[in-house]
Amino acid sequence: MRRHIFIVACIAAAMAIVYAFAKAGDAPHAAISSRELPQPNVPELLPGSADSTDYVLVRFWDALDFADPASGSRDTAFIERGFLRFAGMLRQASSDSVRAAAVDTLLRRASADSLALDLLSWVAEANLNATDSPSYSEGAYIMFLKWLAQSSSIDPAMRERYAAQLSDMDRNRPGDIAADFSYTSLNGTSSTLLSLVAAHDSTLVVLYDPDCGDCHVLIDLLGADTLLRDAVDSGTMAVMALYPYDDTELWRRTAGDIPSWWITARTDSPIEDEGTYYLPRTPRTYLLDRSGRILRVRE
C-alpha cells in the first residue's frame, strides 16, 4: 500500500511539473531559441589543460540567470544543449571533488527558479540515467541525486523519489568494500566473493548476460589480453564471469563462451532483486583488491 501511494505521488508530482511548463509556455521538448550558452574566459595564468577544464566546468553556467525565464533557463532545447556539453566536461574533470563542486554550483544557481530547477533535474535524469544515452554516468547522476534528495527546493514527492534512486544506486561504489554474496562455479564449487578476493592481489568480476552483445565484445577483448592472462596464470589475479540472473539452463548452455582460464560462476541468489547490487545494464565490471575494496567500476 505504501509503495502504491509513493508511486501515485511521484506521478502526480511529474504531471505537475509538465503542467507548470505548459502553463509557462515551456513544455519539455519545445525549443525557444537556438543560441549557445557563452563560456567563461580562462585566465592565462592557468598552467595546464586540466586546470583550464576544471575552471570552466565550475563556472560553466555563470552566464545564465536562472532567476530570469527570458534568459533561456526554462528553454528545454537550450538547457539540454548546454547540459550535454557540461556532462562531457564532467568526464574530463581532474577529480570527483571538482565534479561535485560543479554540480553543486549548478543546482544552487538553478534553485533560484523552481521551474528551471525542475527542468534541469529532468534533463539530468534523461541524459545521465538512461542506459542508452551517450552521456550515461551513474557517478555523475549520483552527485545530482545527493543534492536533489535533500533540497527543500524540490517537491516532496520528487525528493522522495530521488532519495529512493540514490539508495539503489549509491552502493558498491569505488572505495566501498563490496557486498559479499555466495556463488557456484561451473564445476559445482561454491564460495563467496570475499573469500575469492582474499586469495589474490586483485580480482576482476564481470557481470554478464549471455544474450547481451556488448558482454560478448568485452569478454572477447579481455580474453585476448595476454597481460591479464599472465597475471591469472601467476596467481596474483583472478577473473570471474558472473551470471547474476536465474536462468541456470541458459547459463550452463552458454558457458563455453567464457575463456577457460576464467572462473565461470552464477550467483546463488538474485543479487539485484535482493538489493545487494545495482545492475541497470550489462556488462558491468568490478575491480577489487585483496580486502574486497572496490577500485574501479565499469558501468
Side-chain angles (χ1 to χ4, degrees), residues 19-292:
Y19 172 75
F21 277 112
K23 186 176 180 181
D26 294 320
H29 301 296
I32 295 175
S33 70
S34 59
R35 67 186 185 277
E36 297 291 339
L37 180 67
Q39 294 298 281
N41 294 320
V42 179
E44 294 181 1
L45 295 178
L46 290 179
S49 59
D51 293 321
S52 300
T53 299
D54 290 352
Y55 181 90
V56 172
L57 181 62
V58 176
R59 297 161 180 81
F60 188 92
W61 301 90
D62 281 4
L64 182 62
D65 182 2
F66 281 96
D68 179 11
S71 69
S73 61
R74 297 182 184 178
D75 176 351
T76 302
F78 175 63
I79 292 297
E80 189 156 28
R81 281 198 306 275
F83 189 87
L84 290 174
R85 292 164 60 197
F86 178 75
M89 292 189 70
L90 278 175
R91 296 179 181 273
Q92 301 168 27
S94 63
S95 67
D96 281 343
S97 62
V98 172
R99 282 183 274 270
V103 170
D104 178 74
T105 300
L106 167 58
L107 292 174
R108 280 192 292 104
R109 289 176 55 84
S111 64
D113 174 29
S114 61
L115 289 182
L117 180 59
D118 288 339
L119 172 59
L120 184 62
S121 304
W122 174 77
V123 169
E125 180 167 9
N127 287 280
L128 299 178
N129 195 42
T131 56
D132 59 349
S133 167
S135 299
Y136 177 75
S137 172
E138 289 172 25
Y141 189 53
I142 285 171
M143 291 179 180
F144 278 84
L145 289 176
K146 286 182 176 179
W147 196 98
L148 297 170
Q150 55 81 43
S151 173
S152 59
S153 301
I154 298 295
D155 178 271
M158 293 302 294
R159 192 164 64 238
E160 185 177 355
R161 176 176 176 274
Y162 291 136
Q165 285 184 306
L166 181 60
S167 177
D168 285 340
M169 296 176 67
D170 195 20
R171 62 183 64 176
N172 298 300
R173 301 297 301 169
D176 295 345
I177 297 296
D180 201 13
F181 56 82
S182 60
Y183 67 85
T184 300
S185 62
L186 190 61
N187 62 12
T189 303
S190 295
S191 187
T192 65
L193 174 65
L194 294 185
S195 295
L196 173 66
V197 302
H200 304 86
D201 291 339
S202 58
T203 300
L204 180 65
V205 179
V206 181
L207 290 103
Y208 77 103
D209 183 341
D211 292 330
C212 159
D214 288 342
C215 296
H216 289 286
V217 170
L218 178 63
I219 290 170
D220 290 345
L221 182 66
L222 294 174
D225 190 321
T226 56
L227 293 177
L228 188 64
R229 174 68 183 269
D230 290 344
V232 170
D233 289 345
S234 70
T236 60
M237 188 171 188
V239 180
M240 177 166 66
L242 184 68
Y243 178 67
Y245 307 115
D246 57 4
D247 191 341
T248 304
E249 181 181 347
L250 173 65
W251 171 66
R252 291 189 179 281
R253 189 172 67 249
T254 58
D257 296 336
I258 307 301
S260 59
W261 46 280
W262 291 21
I263 299 169
T264 303
R266 61 174 177 80
T267 58
D268 290 339
S269 58
I271 57 176
E272 181 180 21
D273 293 346
E274 293 175 347
T276 310
Y277 281 77
Y278 179 66
L279 304 175
R281 66 177 183 180
T282 52
R284 190 178 183 87
T285 67
Y286 293 88
L287 179 64
L288 304 98
D289 66 14
R290 187 180 290 271
S291 71

